[in-house]
């Protein structure tokens, strides 16, 4: 099996981070790419687990050094996926789950055409607004900025291959799992398929030949 990146995007508060976390708990075939960000850690966030928290200077240095597979400015902060994180997870034979915004998704799709893209939709505008407001760590200005990014994200939904409505968390997790399972079986991803089918064809052709020649003889 060839592991591939799986990108989850959604407006802030759409639930993609929670879905990613549960999938990681449930499946051994997926690993998480820990992103870098210049935003301050929220309570209970741990450096190296939730994000690598960098200063803006460090981030810019690393971007100049070509360390990022993608990077973007999201509501005033820089975010980026390290090449080394993707390589680390794929190197373990795991699909790499990335919880990134639409700008980052475009760059990853370009660099890794085998990526699978999933857009997580909130079930309604009211639910989305409620989830956004619940993030009490934000100032009113930050809330407006998040609302504007949410609009930008929603407008990009057509760039994604799959859409999962997050009205029920368990169902949404199962849906993303089902997408993964189906993608693993997609014809282009099955390695050695041509050889496998050719062997089957040869075997059947030999059998047809055998029957045809024994009919001629009798
Ligand atoms: P938050 O600050 O709430 O954790 O994340 C804000 C937004 O940044 C979310 O839409 C999230 O998906 C996005 N994000 C997180 N990590 C990355 C990353 O590495 N690259 C990009 N492009 N976006 C990211």
């Amino acid at each position: 099996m060839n592991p591939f990146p799986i990108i989850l995007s959604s407006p802030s508060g759409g639930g993609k981070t929670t879905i990613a976390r549960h999938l990681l708990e449930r499946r051994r075939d997926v690993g998480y790419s820990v992103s870098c960000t210049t935003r301050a850690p929220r309570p209970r966030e741990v450096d190296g687990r939730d994000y690598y928290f960098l200063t803006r200077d460090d981030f810019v240095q690393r971007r100049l050094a070509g360390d990022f597979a993608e990077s973007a400015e999201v509501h005033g902060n820089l975010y980026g996926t390290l090449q080394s994180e993707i390589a680390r997870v794929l190197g373990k034979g795991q699909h790499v789950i990335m919880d990134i915004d639409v700008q980052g998704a475009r760059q990853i799709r370009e660099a890794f055409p085998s990526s699978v893209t999933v857009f997580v939709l909130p079930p309604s505008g009211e639910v989305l607004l409620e989830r956004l407001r619940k993030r009490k760590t934000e100032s009113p200005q930050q809330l407006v900025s998040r609302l504007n990014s949410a609009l930008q994200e929603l407008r990009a939904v057509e760039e994604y291959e799959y859409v999962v409505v997050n009205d029920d968390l368990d169902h949404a997790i199962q849906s993303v799992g089902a997408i993964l399972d189906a993608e693993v079986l997609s014809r282009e991803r099955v390695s050695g398929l041509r050889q496998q089918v050719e062997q089957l064809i040869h075997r059947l052709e030999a059998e047809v030949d055998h029957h045809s020649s024994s009919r001629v003889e009798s």
Side-chain angles (χ1 to χ4, degrees), residues 16 35 39 42 51 70 72 74-75 79-81 99-101 104 135 146:
K16 60 186 180 300
S35 292
R39 83 151 161 74
R42 297 193 182 114
Y51 280 104
E70 63 78 29
V74 187
H75 25 78
Y79 291 82
T81 305
D99 158 2
I100 61 177
D101 88 316
R135 302 203 158 192
R146 273 175 193 267

Side-chain angles (χ1 to χ4, degrees), residues 55-156:
T55 63
R56 212 171 170 97
D57 279 353
D58 283 346
F59 193 105
V60 171
Q61 285 293 328
R62 297 200 69 167
R63 191 163 60 185
L64 282 173
D67 289 356
F68 291 112
E70 63 78 29
S71 66
E73 178 133 8
V74 187
H75 25 78
N77 293 302
L78 297 172
Y79 291 82
T81 305
L82 291 169
Q83 308 266 16
S84 57
E85 277 293 293
I86 299 181
R88 176 182 65 78
V89 179
L90 293 179
K92 287 196 285 185
Q94 293 175 311
H95 308 299
V96 53
I97 284 223
M98 285 180 234
D99 158 2
I100 61 177
D101 88 316
V102 295
Q103 308 168 73
R106 286 181 194 127
Q107 297 167 49
I108 293 289
R109 213 184 287 121
E110 187 88 9
F112 298 86
S114 66
S115 304
V116 175
T117 53
V118 183
F119 198 91
V120 180
L121 267 185
S124 70
E126 281 317 304
V127 171
L128 175 57
L129 285 172
E130 194 188 307
R131 288 180 188 162
L132 280 166
R133 289 191 193 113
K134 263 194 193 149
R135 302 203 158 192
K136 295 206 181 75
T137 48
E138 261 108 64
S139 67
Q141 268 158 319
Q142 282 171 313
L143 180 63
V144 171
S145 159
R146 273 175 193 267
L147 286 169
N148 278 320
S149 322
L151 282 168
Q152 204 182 48
E153 300 274 317
L154 286 169
R155 289 183 180 124

